[in-house]
Amino acid sequence: NYDAKSSANAARGALFLLSLDKPAGDPWELDVNYYKLVTPLSDAGKANALAPPGFALSATGSVRYAYAGDLQGNLWRFDFSGKPSSWQKAVGPGSKNAPLFVARDAAGRRQPISHAPRVVYAPGSGYIVLFGTGSFIQNADADPASFGPQSFYGIRDSTQKPAVLVAGRDDLVQRVLAGQGPYTVTGKTLLFEGTNARKGW
């Protein structure tokens, strides 16, 4: 999705939706039988790509939200609860299309997201978006000089309006997985309500 003639398109990911009922002889037309939902510009100087999405489904089985990360650590939500005419503005969910969360290690370095997340119901309301960070896509990923700490996250999306974003690690509970099987998980319990509530782990 890189356009060398337009810096505005550098390092932007995109989610494509294709109409499967398009007659074979009809041409593809943007916003008619296919949609291209572009994520906002992040860091144009670094490689980027959108990972496969995970889905939150409605009671009828249709897609309500899609969640996808990118190689710059952004976790995006795409809102399909409205009509197709509103989908171009459905990337975010924050103000000015800000992502739900940006994965960073303890030193503040972005952690790439290259795998589809899993989406489960959160207690009370909303969803928990589960995903791990790391990538093994480019040759540079195999260079030990580029190695960095990676994490597994459970980020809560309350789906409230205006959107409640997760600002960083301080909004989360730290939990540690150790062992080689059986595994042990240590750390504080995640509370969803009350004064010690957090937005994930």
Side-chain angles (χ1 to χ4, degrees), residues 105-194:
D105 64 21
R109 295 170 295 195
R110 290 177 180 260
Q111 298 171 300
I113 304 169
S114 58
H115 197 276
R118 291 292 182 96
V119 184
V120 298
Y121 290 108
S125 63
Y127 303 96
I128 300 289
V129 185
L130 304 163
F131 64 94
T133 65
S135 68
F136 194 64
I137 300 172
Q138 308 173 81
N139 289 334
D141 293 337
D143 182 359
S146 68
F147 291 177
Q150 304 301 329
S151 306
F152 192 88
Y153 293 95
I155 301 298
R156 184 182 188 186
D157 182 9
S158 68
T159 67
Q160 296 177 0
K161 295 183 179 181
V164 178
L165 305 183
V166 181
R169 288 181 167 237
D170 289 344
D171 284 349
L172 308 175
V173 169
Q174 183 179 19
R175 298 182 65 77
V176 178
L177 175 71
Q180 297 181 352
Y183 299 97
T184 59
V185 179
T186 58
K188 295 182 179 179
T189 300
L190 173 59
L191 300 177
F192 290 91
E193 306 294 340

